[in-house]
Amino acid sequence: MAGGKLTDKAIKNAKPGERLAILSDGGGLQLWLTPTGGKLWNYAYRFGGKRKRLAIGPYGKDPAGVPLEAARKRRDEAAGLVRDGVDPATRKRQVKAARAEAHANTFALMADELIAKKKREGVADATADKLDWLLGLAKAELGQLPISEISAGEILRVLRPLEAADKLETAKRLRAVIGSVFRYAIATARAENDPTQALRGAIASPKPQHRPAVTDPKEFGGLLRAIDGFMGQPTTKAALQLMALLACRPGELRQASWTEFDLDDCEWEIPAERMKMRRPHRVPLPTQAVTILKALHPITGHGAACLVFPGLRSVKRPISENTMNGALRRIGFSQEEATAHGFRSTFSTLTNESGKWSVNAIEAALAHIEPNAVRRAYARGDYWDERVKMMQWWADYLDTLRQGGRVVPFLAVSA
């Protein structure tokens, strides 16, 4: 048929024939009338010396159709690509493939891949379970959305209910965990940015929770005596005794393996992957700690790679996070009075109050990172020699605390 500007009226009145008919709108835009009554937009063009055709879609004013003005706009866009040396048909296939890939790479898929990666890297089961639980909170809203199309506003809608319920720490951790999923997607070329960065400060910050700790020397002596009288599992008792002596984090101790300890050189080396700051950490062992470990070795040291504190159900898994705190409850200390993590506060308070040791050595013993970047760059040493003396002094000091002060009664526990 002759070329010329089409109108909606002309298109509506066009009737199909026995053979394919083509109505031209000019500039390469064509409306194909099929014998079965179809009205299909196509853009005819030349590229690389060849005649080509780009399918635009069916004519129509409903959501599934392409009206006349929209078809002209798409023709102009395609013509622009041709002028720029880009084949519109090839670009359409690329865009279609990218959309299909985006819809396949959902937030849920990325989250599951990240958890699987963490497990392959040897993350603790408890940590993997916590990560899975947190991501489950996000999957309800974000799970089926393409990772590359999720906005900061959509993530905020996941966090707001937690904030409203005053679960501020959970909201803070969830934002960080969601961010880790996006960073994994970026690293694997399936996303380009992390929208959680735009949400810094959008949720109210939780108030710092200070873990209960016994910092009065006489009362701490009573706690030490109560631990010595603990009648439960010998591994639990040894763990509490070592927590008091070494001031480490509970997770660092309970997940320790015998390969980390050199009892001849009186040293414990904790690998980076088990440290909060992901840096290896050495701990001097006072003679009292070595004695406890040597007594424990015949019980749990069957093989160099064995856990020092295996759980009751499986020797391949350590005692749970609640084992030590549960033992403290059983010997008469409430959760408002003492926690396993609180031994670190006790150590920090009493060593600082003694005036015998530098702040640098105490902070290094606690594996704290210097907050000042410039000072951190120059303070590269771990104050090892001073820490060796300090940890032996600390162990000897605890022995003196056991000899006097208020006796804290404890509940007898059967083995």
Side-chain angles (χ1 to χ4, degrees):
M1 298 182 65
K5 291 289 185 179
L6 294 174
T7 64
D8 284 315
K9 182 178 180 180
I11 296 172
K12 184 178 180 180
N13 292 333
K15 304 299 181 183
E18 296 180 358
R19 305 174 71 176
L20 176 70
I22 298 178
L23 304 180
S24 177
D25 187 60
L29 180 61
Q30 301 172 342
L31 183 69
W32 289 24
L33 305 177
T34 69
T36 58
K39 297 178 180 180
L40 308 174
W41 290 115
N42 286 280
Y43 170 58
Y45 63 100
R46 295 184 69 88
F47 190 85
K50 297 180 180 180
R51 291 184 178 181
K52 306 196 74 173
R53 177 175 62 87
L54 175 69
I56 294 176
Y59 170 79
K61 295 185 178 181
D62 55 29
V66 181
L68 176 58
E69 290 304 316
R72 287 170 174 167
K73 183 178 179 181
R74 295 190 190 182
R75 171 200 59 196
D76 294 342
E77 292 171 351
L81 290 174
V82 173
R83 288 193 298 270
D84 293 338
V86 177
D87 186 351
T90 301
R91 172 61 62 85
K92 181 180 179 181
R93 288 194 297 272
Q94 292 172 340
V95 171
K96 185 177 180 180
R99 286 177 177 170
E101 182 179 4
H103 282 278
N105 293 322
T106 62
F107 178 85
L109 177 67
M110 294 294 98
D112 291 343
E113 282 191 18
L114 178 61
I115 293 174
K117 177 177 177 289
K118 294 284 187 183
K119 290 181 177 180
R120 289 195 303 272
E121 293 171 346
V123 71
D125 290 342
T127 301
D129 291 343
K130 185 65 175 290
L131 184 64
D132 194 26
W133 176 77
L134 281 169
L135 288 173
L137 300 178
K139 285 180 181 178
E141 287 284 337
L142 307 177
Q144 300 309 310
L145 299 180
I147 188 77
S148 60
E149 298 179 12
I150 295 174
S151 67
E154 288 170 320
I155 297 172
L156 189 60
R157 285 197 292 273
V158 174
L159 303 178
R160 285 298 190 201
L162 294 171
E163 181 185 39
D166 202 30
K167 297 179 179 179
L168 301 181
E169 185 63 35
T170 301
K172 175 184 175 182
R173 291 182 180 180
L174 181 56
R175 186 191 71 84
V177 167
I178 292 174
S180 70
V181 174
F182 276 93
R183 290 190 294 277
Y184 171 73
I186 293 169
T188 56
R190 287 175 284 185
E192 294 183 357
N193 64 83
D194 174 10
T196 64
Q197 296 301 311
L199 297 178
R200 291 184 179 274
I203 296 292
S205 298
K207 295 180 180 179
Q209 297 293 323
H210 298 288
R211 295 178 175 88
V214 179
T215 55
D216 177 80
K218 290 184 178 180
E219 292 185 4
F220 192 56
L223 172 57
L224 295 174
R225 290 191 296 275
I227 291 172
D228 290 345
F230 179 65
M231 302 297 290
Q233 290 292 325
T235 49
T236 305
K237 177 178 178 179
L240 289 174
Q241 290 173 325
L242 289 171
M243 284 297 303
L245 286 168
L246 305 180
C248 53
R249 296 180 180 89
E252 295 162 5
L253 184 67
R254 69 183 184 84
Q255 297 179 49
S257 67
W258 284 106
T259 55
E260 299 169 10
F261 290 91
D262 186 335
L263 300 185
D264 294 327
D265 287 341
C266 302
E267 181 178 330
W268 174 25
E269 184 163 353
I270 310 173
E273 60 267 21
R274 290 205 297 100
M275 292 298 298
K276 181 178 181 180
M277 299 302 176
R278 294 299 184 263
R279 295 173 52 174
H281 180 58
R282 292 193 302 162
V283 180
L285 298 176
T287 56
Q288 291 90 330
V290 172
T291 298
I292 294 169
L293 287 165
K294 285 184 176 179
L296 187 61
H297 192 268
I299 302 174
T300 67
H302 307 296
C306 289
L307 292 169
V308 179
F309 303 100
L312 292 177
R313 295 182 179 180
S314 172
V315 296
K316 295 182 179 181
R317 299 183 65 173
I319 56 177
S320 74
E321 293 184 58
N322 296 322
T323 298
M324 286 184 279
N325 285 331
L328 289 172
R329 305 293 87 80
R330 293 166 70 188
I331 60 176
F333 289 83
S334 70
Q335 61 182 0
E336 289 77 27
E337 294 174 311
T339 64
H341 201 283
F343 286 111
R344 288 169 58 80
S345 296
T346 304
F347 171 84
S348 178
T349 299
L350 297 184
T351 51
N352 275 293
E353 288 180 353
S354 74
K356 296 177 179 291
W357 313 104
S358 70
V359 172
N360 289 335
I362 296 171
E363 291 298 290
L366 292 167
H368 286 165
I369 300 297
E370 166 59 48
N372 186 293
V374 175
R375 189 170 182 273
R376 185 168 65 244
Y378 289 95
R380 295 181 182 275
D382 61 2
Y383 307 93
W384 182 256
D385 292 341
E386 183 179 1
R387 286 170 55 204
V388 169
K389 296 176 183 177
M390 178 175 64
M391 298 310 289
Q392 188 57 59
W393 169 85
W394 174 249
D396 294 341
Y397 176 59
L398 297 192
D399 285 344
T400 66
L401 294 183
R402 286 185 175 87
Q403 306 306 314
R406 182 173 66 86
V407 177
V408 179
F410 61 92
L411 304 178
V413 179
S414 300

